[in-house]
Amino acid sequence: KASEQRLNGDTRWVVSSLISDENCLIITAKESKKSIKIDFYGDSISCGAGNLGENSEHIYNTNGDGTKTYASFTARALNADSSVVSKSGLCVSAELVGKDLSLEKCWDNVSIHNNEKAEIDPDTNLVVINLGTNDFSDIYKGNSTYADLTAGIVRTLTAMKKKYTNAKFVWCYGLMNEVPDVKNAIVSALGQMGGEESGFYYVTLTVDTSGGATHPTVNGHIASARVLTDFIKNKGLI
């Protein structure tokens, strides 16, 4: 398991041999029976960074688990197929962690490190985006503004909507803190996209900073998954 893709060191997986005999179980690919498809986009929170750790710890591969996040728990609760694209430090448009590393530039790539364009399923029901924490860091450093954040969200959602033709969008924020000015910038952008009447929603998740490097713990992710799941159901988004 790993909380996110790591490129430092030798990360190759090598198959040393293939064995086939009468005791082998043959697994065949089958069409999914799940009727709901959700795509999640986020930063280290969505990676599950630190969710197995304590507040005094840094982020390590050993104290994060991407299968125990608000995204994974929500998908299970809704019996949905899901995809998660996430990167520690990711912002909407600001390039806090490297050139061309932003949701705006990476959302439809094969991966964060492969900029070939991926196929987007037009029948996806829901797109959940959980960003804002790192955008505040970039703004605090004086590299961007709240107006830049709003404009970046509008550009990104406009592009995404062209591919996710049948999806509704839920923007999450607040798992590590809900800065009022960041929330206002996000809500303003969603309003420019037409708001809930046009399928663009905002939801505040549950604050928990008791995990590694003040990231949410597994319990914090569970609490936020309950909030997000109830929100999706109550709004009739699926």
Side-chain angles (χ1 to χ4, degrees), residues 69-87:
T69 68
Y70 75 93
S72 60
F73 292 131
T74 298
R76 290 174 206 170
L78 297 173
N79 193 32
D81 277 332
S82 65
S83 163
V84 181
V85 174
S86 57
K87 169 70 176 175

Side-chain angles (χ1 to χ4, degrees), residues 131-177:
L131 288 178
T133 301
N134 296 305
D135 297 272
F136 175 71
S137 296
D138 193 72
I139 293 168
Y140 184 78
K141 291 179 179 180
N143 298 328
S144 58
T145 66
Y146 295 108
D148 292 332
L149 174 56
T150 297
I153 292 172
V154 171
R155 287 195 306 271
T156 303
L157 289 179
T158 299
M160 294 178 88
K161 186 61 179 175
K162 291 178 181 178
K163 295 286 186 72
Y164 287 106
T165 52
N166 297 308
K168 294 181 180 178
F169 292 76
V170 176
W171 199 290
C172 305
Y173 177 53
L175 247 169
M176 289 179 67
N177 191 13

Side-chain angles (χ1 to χ4, degrees), residues 100-160:
D100 295 331
L101 284 176
S102 67
L103 179 67
E104 183 175 11
K105 292 186 177 180
C106 294
W107 69 270
D108 60 345
N109 290 354
V110 170
S111 76
I112 294 296
H113 299 285
N114 183 345
N115 60 11
E116 292 182 19
K117 295 306 177 185
E119 290 187 18
I120 301 298
D121 185 354
D123 294 325
T124 300
N125 303 94
L126 198 61
V127 176
V128 176
I129 301 170
N130 186 2
L131 288 178
T133 301
N134 296 305
D135 297 272
F136 175 71
S137 296
D138 193 72
I139 293 168
Y140 184 78
K141 291 179 179 180
N143 298 328
S144 58
T145 66
Y146 295 108
D148 292 332
L149 174 56
T150 297
I153 292 172
V154 171
R155 287 195 306 271
T156 303
L157 289 179
T158 299
M160 294 178 88

Side-chain angles (χ1 to χ4, degrees), residues 3 7 29 33 45 99 110 119 127 141 154 159 186 197 209 223:
S3 62
L7 296 182
K33 295 181 180 179
I45 296 172
K99 186 178 185 303
V110 170
E119 290 187 18
V127 176
K141 291 179 179 180
V154 171
I186 297 170
E197 291 185 0
T209 57

